[in-house]
């Protein structure tokens, strides 16, 4: 643990961690089970195209979420594109800017205009009170993103979409195994999308799923993810290749076996971080509601520069030198990235809360790769940095000038 300023790696000391700590370090379930599944896949000589592992994985998701249809897809981004296209969303769609860039790409890729709406600073999710000012005659849909796994204000979004005859869909990439008012996420809107990317707490290497209770929409997506084939030689619809392969589904089945322990570990990590960060002025970890099911997969904090003593960016620069790869999810906001910055240059006017949050958010490493000792080292270091923030900044300034 750093006792002196000179011990900080940014000031010439040895990094706290020999190896890098990552925010998205994958959770790996039972290796033997996974390898036995892979062996079965190889023995079957059925590697993709709705094989037995994908079918089993889809039925497991349906059962877990209590939803009628789960369609396993190559990744979360293609899943979004497919749901958007199958639902006939066109023109303009209202989405938050404070999220991962794929949320906008999935629309813009299909020449649908993403219209960026501000967030509620308390929830980090799309602010329902801001939505109506963005509705135009071209608006056809709203997409909420359950950021950090905390659900959007679904009830109010349903009211708004109903009032204006808009489709409502959700990006639930962060919210697998989470609930809203006791009902599992995945049951809302016309459909919802999960990401099972390696960095998600529940992974299929790469992967995603579309879940819906709409039979017609589900059949359409099943066709579209397989080039529109309805049986051999018969294409009935424009489609793409969005199929999950059998090895990814095997990883999904493996992740299912450990899902409770992954969540328990994330929860334990979350409360360790919370306990320590609550003692430090100027750093606030997001809350998860005790009355909902949560996966606790993000240790997302806000840094109040005045109280903490330095900015989020200054803190991250110091942590990276210590081999703690904390991230600025989701800086700077999609509207400030290309092509959106050039296409929609006036978006900033409506995104004050998004911009404020993007400048103070920081995500810390968690998951099964983190243990008690490493979390205590991280939190003690953050506490030390806070305590000596002024001195550290002066020393960095001196080093910069000389
Ligand atoms: N919607 C939302 C709200 C999303 O957050 C995402 C994805 C999507 C849609 C799209 O879903 P997918 O098409 O991805 O299924 C990462 C992930 O790549 C991305 O899936 C995720 N959101 C986003 C929040 O985070 P990057 O650019 O930060 O990834 P990268 O490569 O920097 O990895 C993050 C950290 O994890 C690094 O420190 C390295 C570490 N890592 C990563 C991988 C892949 C490992 O330790 N092992 C690994 O295997 O986007």
């Amino acid at each position: 643990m750093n006792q002196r300023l000179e011990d900080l790696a940014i000031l010439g000391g040895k990094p706290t961690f020999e190896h890098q700590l990552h925010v998205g370090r994958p959770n790996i379930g039972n290796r033997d089970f996974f390898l036995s599944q892979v062996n079965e896949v190889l023995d079957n000589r059925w590697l993709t195209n709705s094989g037995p592992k994908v079918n089993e994985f889809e039925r497991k998701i349906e059962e877990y979420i209590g939803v009628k249809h789960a369609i396993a897809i190559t990744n979360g981004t293609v899943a979004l594109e497919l749901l958007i296209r199958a639902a006939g969303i066109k023109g303009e769609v209202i989405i938050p800017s404070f999220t991962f860039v794929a949320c906008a790409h999935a629309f813009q890729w299909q020449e649908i205009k993403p219209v960026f709406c501000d967030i509620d600073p308390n929830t980090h999710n799309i602010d329902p009170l801001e939505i109506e000012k963005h509705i135009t005659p071209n608006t056809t849909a709203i997409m909420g993103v359950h950021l950090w796994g905390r659900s959007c204000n679904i009830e109010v979004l349903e009211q708004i979409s109903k009032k204006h005859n808009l489709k409502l869909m959700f990006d639930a990439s962060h919210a697998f195994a989470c609930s809203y008012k006791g009902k599992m996420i995945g049951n809302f809107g016309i459909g919802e999308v999960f990401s099972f990317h390696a960095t998600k707490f529940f992974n299929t290497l790469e992967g995603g799923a579309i879940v819906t209770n709409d039979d017609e929409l589900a059949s359409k997506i099943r066709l579209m993810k397989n080039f529109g084939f309805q049986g051999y030689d018969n294409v009935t619809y424009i489609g793409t290749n969005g199929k999950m392969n059998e090895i990814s589904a095997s990883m999904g089945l493996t992740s299912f076996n450990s899902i409770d322990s992954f969540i328990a570990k994330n929860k334990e990590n979350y409360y360790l971080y919370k306990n320590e960060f609550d003692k430090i002025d100027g750093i606030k970890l997001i809350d998860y509601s005790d009355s909902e099911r949560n996966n606790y997969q993000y240790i997302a904090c806000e840094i109040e520069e005045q109280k903490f003593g330095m900015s989020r960016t200054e803190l991250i620069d110091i942590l990276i030198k210590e081999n703690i790869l904390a991230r600025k999810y989701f800086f700077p906001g999609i509207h400030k990235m290309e092509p959106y910055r050039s296409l929609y240059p006036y978006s900033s006017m409506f995104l004050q809360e998004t911009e404020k949050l993007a400048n103070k958010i920081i995500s810390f490493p968690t998951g099964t790769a983190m243990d008690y000792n490493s979390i205590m080292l991280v939190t003690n270091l953050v506490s030390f940095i806070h305590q000596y923030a002024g001195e550290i900044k002066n020393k960095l300034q001196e080093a910069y000038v000389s």
Side-chain angles (χ1 to χ4, degrees):
M1 187 47 227
N2 301 85
Q3 299 295 328
R4 303 166 311 154
L5 294 187
E6 302 76 58
D7 292 336
L8 287 171
I10 203 162
L11 295 174
K14 206 166 133 258
T16 307
F17 293 93
E18 202 179 325
H19 302 290
Q20 292 182 326
L21 301 185
H22 296 278
V23 166
R25 206 79 180 141
N27 291 328
I28 316 277
N30 184 314
R31 245 169 233 247
D32 291 338
F33 180 78
F34 174 64
L35 295 174
S36 74
Q37 299 292 297
V38 172
N39 272 326
E40 277 181 35
V41 171
L42 300 179
D43 289 344
N44 286 343
R45 287 180 190 260
W46 196 282
L47 307 185
T48 182
N49 291 19
S50 296
K53 298 296 173 201
V54 164
N55 285 328
E56 188 184 343
F57 181 51
E58 288 182 340
R59 303 298 79 75
K60 278 216 179 234
I61 299 173
E62 287 162 3
E63 198 186 320
Y64 191 78
I65 304 291
V67 69
K68 270 174 101 176
H69 305 281
I71 304 142
I73 303 289
T74 340
N75 58 56
T77 306
V78 172
L80 283 172
E81 288 167 7
L82 279 163
L83 176 58
I84 291 161
R85 185 140 191 155
I89 292 171
K90 292 193 166 63
E92 294 175 13
V93 59
I94 298 169
I95 68 167
S97 172
F98 189 75
T99 177
F100 190 60
V101 70
C103 297
H105 283 350
F107 290 99
Q108 191 69 47
W109 189 255
Q110 310 187 56
E111 298 190 355
I112 299 162
K113 178 180 176 183
V115 176
F116 299 113
C117 181
D118 215 354
I119 46 156
D120 176 342
N122 297 312
T123 65
H124 299 184
N125 282 325
I126 194 164
D127 185 350
L129 298 175
E130 290 287 307
I131 288 179
E132 284 184 316
K133 66 169 73 151
H134 295 291
I135 296 176
T136 75
N138 296 328
T139 311
T140 63
I142 300 169
M143 183 176 82
V145 181
H146 306 302
L147 210 77
W148 317 132
R150 303 189 302 177
S151 68
C152 297
N153 190 339
I154 297 177
E155 219 165 76
V156 180
L157 293 180
E158 281 172 347
Q159 284 161 11
I160 297 170
S161 54
K162 203 163 163 200
K163 180 172 157 199
H164 297 277
N165 196 23
L166 303 174
K167 293 189 168 106
L168 177 63
M169 61 176 276
F170 293 100
D171 178 337
S173 290
H174 297 184
F176 193 59
C178 301
S179 69
Y180 171 75
K181 298 200 171 173
K183 196 169 172 179
M184 294 304 277
I185 296 287
N187 282 284
F188 299 97
I190 54 168
E192 305 202 48
V193 162
F194 296 116
S195 164
F196 303 135
H197 182 257
T199 55
K200 297 291 181 282
F201 90 99
F202 178 107
N203 83 81
T204 60
L205 314 177
E206 284 275 1
I210 303 166
V211 286
T212 179
N213 286 306
D214 182 329
D215 300 341
E216 209 179 308
L217 188 61
S219 328
K220 208 165 168 184
I221 293 166
R222 285 192 186 286
L223 289 178
M224 287 176 94
K225 65 133 198 207
N226 186 28
F227 314 102
F229 270 111
Q230 203 162 28
Y232 292 130
D233 311 323
N234 186 29
V235 171
T236 56
Y237 209 87
I238 184 165
T240 185
N241 183 353
K243 292 167 278 131
M244 178 178 276
N245 69 67
E246 290 286 280
I247 305 292
S248 284
S250 298
M251 188 63 170
L253 294 172
T254 310
S255 294
F256 254 126
N257 288 343
S258 299
I259 190 165
D260 291 341
S261 64
F262 291 161
I263 294 171
K265 180 67 182 160
N266 281 348
K267 187 171 180 181
E268 188 186 310
N269 289 352
Y270 170 82
Y271 280 105
L272 263 178
Y273 271 112
K274 182 158 175 54
N275 196 35
E276 298 306 312
F277 284 163
D278 278 353
K279 298 176 198 158
I280 307 172
D281 226 17
I283 179 161
K284 185 177 171 289
L285 176 57
I286 54 164
D287 289 320
Y288 286 104
S289 159
D290 288 337
S291 58
E292 299 292 356
R293 288 179 64 172
N294 300 299
N295 58 33
Y296 300 94
Q297 73 173 313
Y298 288 99
I299 303 294
C301 300
E302 291 176 35
I303 301 292
E304 288 300 341
E305 184 171 349
Q306 293 300 324
K307 288 188 189 162
F308 187 77
M310 67 173 62
S311 71
R312 178 280 315 272
T313 303
E314 289 166 324
L315 172 61
I316 286 203
D317 289 346
I318 297 173
L319 294 176
I320 287 175
K321 295 278 187 209
E322 302 290 343
N323 275 334
I324 302 163
L325 290 163
R327 297 294 293 264
K328 297 179 196 166
Y329 292 145
F330 287 99
F331 175 81
I334 303 176
H335 67 290
K336 290 199 156 178
M337 295 172 168
E338 291 297 355
Y340 309 102
R341 189 171 52 192
S342 300
L343 285 172
Y344 316 118
Y346 302 111
S347 303
S348 274
M349 282 168 59
F350 300 98
L351 299 171
Q352 270 94 349
E353 297 300 340
T354 298
E355 293 192 355
K356 269 193 245 164
L357 185 60
N359 284 317
K360 56 185 183 178
I361 199 84
I362 173 169
S363 286
F364 287 89
T366 184
T368 50
M370 290 294 284
D371 57 17
Y372 175 87
N373 287 338
S374 29
I375 293 176
M376 293 310 288
L377 279 172
V378 172
T379 54
N380 284 339
L381 183 65
V382 172
S383 175
F384 179 84
I385 294 168
H386 161 64
Q387 210 179 334
Y388 295 98
E391 287 93 324
I392 296 169
K393 283 171 70 167
N394 285 341
K395 282 205 174 283
L396 287 173
Q397 184 66 23
E398 281 166 25
Y400 181 71
V401 172
S402 63

